[in-house]
């Protein structure tokens, strides 16, 4: 599956699969639960791992399902546990992150190097650039004032989050979930 349009079509077909929707719902619940264990450091920094289920959905279901999942989960998590003001820019960031993760991870082998490259792109584009822009708009602080501490935090978290995602995907592979998803994909094609 070398052509990006084929990847998009395959991801779009995932919507017809009840098992895929059910797995997305379970990962959504896990994302909400993990959101309760995040650590808020002031208004501008948060350390948490609730993005891991979003990345697993991107790996399993691709660049159509992952952005929708990310956007919906951003809104749901805010409705369930609001932290700060709601700002649609963060929903856009969740959608862009799902798109990047979906394109770079979907139907590809689980390799640490690929995961680290994908995480790096998401961290730079979404976490450092986009989210810093949204925080700058939201709180009236200068972009360059917020950028250094956000960049340092995200670059420190990059290998940690990459290793966690790699470990989680390997565990899903070992557990047979990935094979089960592949079997259900073949049954609807």
């Amino acid at each position: 599956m070398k052509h990006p349009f084929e990847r998009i079509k395959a991801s779009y077909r995932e919507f017809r699969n009840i098992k895929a929707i059910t797995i997305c719902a379970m990962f959504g619940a896990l994302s909400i639960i993990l959101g309760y264990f995040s650590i808020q450091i002031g208004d501008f920094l948060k350390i948490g791992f609730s993005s891991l289920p979003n990345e697993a959905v991107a790996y399993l279901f691709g660049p159509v399902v992952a952005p929708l999942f990310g956007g919906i989960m951003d809104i749901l998590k805010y409705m369930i546990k609001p932290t700060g003001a709601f700002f649609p820019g963060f929903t856009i960031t969740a959608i862009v992150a799902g798109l990047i993760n979906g394109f770079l991870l979907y139907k590809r082998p689980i390799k640490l190097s690929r995961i680290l490259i994908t995480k790096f792109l998401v961290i730079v584009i979404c976490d450092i650039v986009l989210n810093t822009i949204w925080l700058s708009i939201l709180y009236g602080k200068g972009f360059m004032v917020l950028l250094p501490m956000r960049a340092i935090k995200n670059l420190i978290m990059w290998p940690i989050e990459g290793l966690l995602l790699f470990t989680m995907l390997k565990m899903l592979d070992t557990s047979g979930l990935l094979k089960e998803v592949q079997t259900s994909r073949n049954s609807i094609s």
Side-chain angles (χ1 to χ4, degrees):
M1 184 169 300
K2 295 182 181 178
H3 196 277
F5 190 67
E6 291 176 26
R7 200 174 305 272
I8 293 169
K9 283 178 16 182
S11 179
Y12 178 74
R13 284 193 299 269
E14 300 287 0
F15 281 119
R16 297 187 313 179
N17 186 340
I18 297 297
K19 198 175 278 189
I21 293 169
T22 304
I23 291 169
C24 283
M26 288 189 295
F27 276 118
L30 182 60
S31 181
I32 290 169
I33 291 167
L34 287 174
Y36 281 100
F37 297 103
S38 60
I39 301 166
Q40 188 76 30
I41 305 169
D43 290 334
F44 311 113
L45 287 177
K46 181 169 82 171
I47 296 175
F49 300 101
S50 64
S51 66
L52 282 171
N54 296 36
E55 294 158 345
V57 166
Y59 176 80
L60 291 169
F61 305 116
V64 174
V65 176
L68 291 171
F69 179 82
I72 290 168
M73 288 311 303
D74 181 71
I75 294 167
L76 275 176
K77 285 193 270 187
Y78 179 78
M79 290 170 62
I80 292 170
K81 183 188 175 205
T83 54
F86 178 77
F87 188 72
F90 296 120
T91 305
I92 291 168
T93 299
I95 291 168
V96 171
L99 197 60
I100 294 168
N101 283 317
F103 267 115
L104 297 178
L105 298 176
Y106 183 54
K107 293 197 177 216
R108 304 235 176 139
I110 302 168
K111 290 184 180 176
L112 183 58
S113 59
R114 176 177 288 116
I115 289 171
L116 287 174
I117 290 168
T118 303
K119 288 294 298 176
F120 184 77
L121 288 172
V122 169
I123 281 173
V124 170
I125 294 168
C126 298
D127 298 338
I128 295 175
V129 175
L130 287 177
N131 281 347
T132 305
I133 290 170
W134 308 142
L135 288 169
S136 177
I137 292 169
L138 194 59
Y139 291 103
K141 299 280 185 184
F143 178 83
M144 294 308 291
V145 172
L146 299 173
L147 185 64
M149 73 174 161
R150 294 189 48 74
I152 290 168
K153 174 260 182 187
N154 281 293
L155 291 174
I156 289 170
M157 293 300 293
W158 167 48
I160 297 167
E161 291 177 357
L163 285 170
L164 281 172
L165 178 60
F166 176 76
T167 303
M168 182 182 70
L169 291 177
K170 281 294 192 183
M171 287 174 50
L172 291 174
D173 190 30
T174 304
S175 73
L177 178 65
L178 300 182
K179 185 177 181 181
E180 185 67 32
V181 170
Q182 181 64 38
T183 304
S184 64
R185 270 190 201 125
N186 294 337
S187 67
I188 63 161
S189 297

